[in-house]
Each structure stands twice: as C-alpha cells, then as structure tokens.
Amino acid sequence: IGSWQVARHYEAAGPVSGDYCDLAPDGNGLFFMLGDVLGKGVTAAMLMTQLHATFRSLKSIGLPLTQIVERASSLLCESSLPTQYATLVCGKADAAGVVEICNAGHLPVLWLNGVDVKIIESTGLPVGVFCEQQFSSHAVRLRPGDSLFLYTDGLSEARDVHDAEYGIERLTKLMSDTRAPSPKAMISVCLEDLMTFSGGARKSDDLTM
C-alpha cells in the first residue's frame, strides 16, 4: 500500500476468532489495526466485527488517530457488558516514514531498525473499559528497510508440551538475530520458530501477526 510493504498471518484456534486485523490506504500512507477481543468463540467474534465496522466508519471522516480510538472505545463501552473489552494497536503511517501509534493495552510493538529491536510499549488501557477514556499516541520515524512487528498473544503466550511460554523475550531475540529481509520473511521465520518451540502442543488461542 503506497510505499509500505505489508505481510500478515491470521490463524483462528477454532471456527471463529476474536483477533482483529485491518489494513487500509490513508492518502499516500497506510492505516492499520491489530487487536484482540477478550474471550473466544462467537461472542468475541461478534464484538470484533462491531469494532471493525466502528473503526472503518470513524476513519472515513478523517478524525485524528487518538480521537478515532476514543470514540470507538466509548461506543464499545456503551453497547457491551463491563467484562467485554479489547486490546489493540491502531496506527497511521505516512509516505515519509512517520508512523503514529496508539497502543490501547495491547502487547508491545517491535521496531526493527537494522541495528537493534526497540520496544514500543502500550500507551493506555484497553478500549471499552471506561466510557469516557482518553488515549495518547507515540510517533516514530522509520528509515527505508525498517519494520514494525505486531502480534497477538496467540504468539507471545503460546506454550510448549511442558507448559512453558514462548514469551516476548524469545520473540525479540529472534527478530534481532534473524534480520529477515522482508515482512513476509519475518512472519515465515517466526512461524517456523514457534513450531519448533511448541513441539506439537495444541494451539489454545487465535494467532495474528
């Protein structure tokens, strides 16, 4: 999309999924979303569908990134049970390499800059927790060849046959050591390492990268 190269992998643990991944052109740049609705099954999938429609509608009217997340969070809070919420990363990437990121209680985003792996932490609570909730964003400038890696806990909390957790530390080291040449290669390397780690253990959560 524009000057951005994107790859994604989506794998549901069951017939339906509560993971959420969306990409859309934004002028000469890119609008992206990756999230995880609390719970599994049909209820989580329906909530994810509601979030998808909400974000697409709010994006179309050209609101700033943080206002999009705030309004989506308010609508979700008003229309769902107190126990229903979602963690997510919402971002805008422009043609010059500047990426604005709003991380609402989700896992850290990994920034691979050719030298090391930087961690971009969450900047707020999950969406839908409070009806009047403010969010902040963080901007980074990527150089040609830099990458951002987003994922759900189906990766970081995956377990092997001995019930050990895959973990963010292992993922960060993998990304630092591998230096994959493209987003597609990054995902392939990660899936291969996850398969080696799990040793055939049953998947218990949706997986999105």
Side-chain angles (χ1 to χ4, degrees), residues 148-181:
L148 294 177
F149 188 80
L150 288 72
Y151 53 96
T152 58
D153 58 9
L155 173 61
S156 59
E157 296 181 6
R159 295 186 176 274
D160 65 9
V161 292
H162 306 292
D163 203 36
E165 188 176 86
Y166 186 82
I168 296 174
E169 185 177 343
R170 180 184 177 111
L171 174 61
T172 303
K173 187 177 187 305
L174 175 70
M175 291 298 167
S176 179
D177 293 345
T178 301
R179 304 295 176 200

Side-chain angles (χ1 to χ4, degrees), residues 107-189:
L107 296 158
V109 175
L110 302 185
W111 174 13
L112 289 68
N113 63 8
V115 178
D116 55 15
V117 178
K118 295 183 178 181
I119 293 178
I120 304 174
E121 298 282 2
S122 168
T123 55
L125 294 172
V127 297
V129 175
F130 299 110
C131 293
E132 294 185 7
Q133 185 174 331
Q134 292 187 326
F135 293 87
S136 60
S137 64
H138 179 73
V140 297
R141 181 181 290 274
L142 274 64
R143 299 173 302 177
D146 287 5
S147 297
L148 294 177
F149 188 80
L150 288 72
Y151 53 96
T152 58
D153 58 9
L155 173 61
S156 59
E157 296 181 6
R159 295 186 176 274
D160 65 9
V161 292
H162 306 292
D163 203 36
E165 188 176 86
Y166 186 82
I168 296 174
E169 185 177 343
R170 180 184 177 111
L171 174 61
T172 303
K173 187 177 187 305
L174 175 70
M175 291 298 167
S176 179
D177 293 345
T178 301
R179 304 295 176 200
S182 69
K184 185 177 181 180
M186 287 168 60
I187 287 179
S188 295
V189 166

Side-chain angles (χ1 to χ4, degrees), residues 11-17 40 202-207:
E11 187 177 338
V16 293
S17 169
K40 298 180 179 65
R202 185 180 67 86
K203 294 183 180 67
S204 59
D205 203 356
D206 308 316
L207 170 64

Side-chain angles (χ1 to χ4, degrees), residues 191-204:
L191 286 172
E192 184 177 348
D193 188 64
L194 180 61
M195 185 178 298
T196 300
F197 168 82
S198 64
R202 185 180 67 86
K203 294 183 180 67
S204 59

